[in-house]
Amino acid sequence: MSTLRCHAPLGRPNSLVVLGAVLLLCLRVTSADWTSPCSPGEFKGDSAACESCAPGKYSTYGHNCTACTVGYFANSSGSTMCAACALEFGHSYTSSVSSSTCDQCVEGNYRGLNDECYPCVIGMECSEAGQTLNNLVITPGWFRFRNDSAVVYSCPNNNCEGGGAGDGSCGRSALGPLCMTCGM
C-alpha cells in the first residue's frame, strides 16, 4: 500500500519556498518508509544505533544516507534534504557529488581567489564546470601574465599559443610579455 506523505524541508512546515512561491513537497512512500528505526537525517550505523548523516548526504525517512547530486549540497550533519546551489548561492554556482557546499562554478565561469564565481571573458577557455583562476586555460592569440591574474590580453602577433600564463603560453621562439621577445 502506498500513500502521499508531505515532508517539511528547510524547516518550513510542509512547504518549500521557491522564488517567493510556496510549493508543497509530497512524496509517494510505502508503509516500510513509515517504520524506520531512525529519525530523518539519520541512519542505522554499524553499532545498531542511529547516527547522523555526514555533511554532503541526507536521509529523508531515517534509512540509508544518500549523497547529494551535482548542483546540490547539505552543509551540516543530519540533513533531511539537499539544497540547490542555484537557489542558495546564485546561478553561477554548482557542486560536486556529496558536497557540503557549492564548491564549483558552472560552465562559462571560474572561481576566483575569493571563492566567488565570475564570468569568463574572451581569451579564457571555460567549457567545463569547476574552473578556477589558477587552472584557467587561455585560448590561442591571448596572453595572461600570471596564474593568479584574471586579466587576459590580446597578442599583437602570432606567438601566443594559449594554455597557461607567462612564457608558458608563448610559441617555441618567443618569450616575455605578450610573447614579444625572441627566444633561443
Side-chain angles (χ1 to χ4, degrees), residues 17-162:
V17 176
V18 179
L19 302 175
V22 177
L23 301 175
L24 287 179
L25 177 63
C26 298
L27 304 170
R28 186 165 301 280
V29 297
T30 63
S31 59
D33 291 320
W34 295 93
T35 60
S36 173
C38 300
S39 298
E42 296 179 333
F43 70 102
K44 191 164 275 267
D46 293 336
S47 67
C50 293
E51 299 176 26
S52 292
C53 294
K57 297 182 177 188
Y58 72 99
S59 171
T60 307
Y61 298 109
H63 292 294
N64 296 328
C65 296
T66 304
C68 296
T69 58
V70 171
Y72 291 83
F73 73 103
N75 63 357
S76 61
S77 59
S79 293
T80 59
M81 67 180 302
C82 298
C85 291
L87 292 176
E88 298 292 323
F89 290 92
H91 293 288
S92 298
Y93 293 85
T94 189
S95 67
S96 53
V97 173
S98 196
S99 186
S100 61
T101 187
C102 296
D103 56 356
Q104 296 181 2
C105 300
V106 298
E107 177 182 335
N109 293 269
Y110 68 91
R111 194 170 189 103
L113 296 176
N114 61 356
D115 289 334
E116 301 235 357
C117 291
Y118 298 96
C120 292
V121 297
I122 295 173
M124 296 177 180
E125 176 59 47
C126 297
S127 59
E128 297 178 9
Q131 295 290 316
T132 65
L133 183 61
N134 288 325
N135 75 6
L136 270 177
V137 175
I138 305 305
T139 57
W142 294 84
F143 184 88
R144 179 165 72 146
F145 286 94
R146 297 183 327 265
N147 282 338
D148 63 352
S149 173
V151 180
V152 294
Y153 299 89
S154 178
C155 285
N157 54 45
N158 292 327
N159 292 334
C160 298
E161 294 183 350

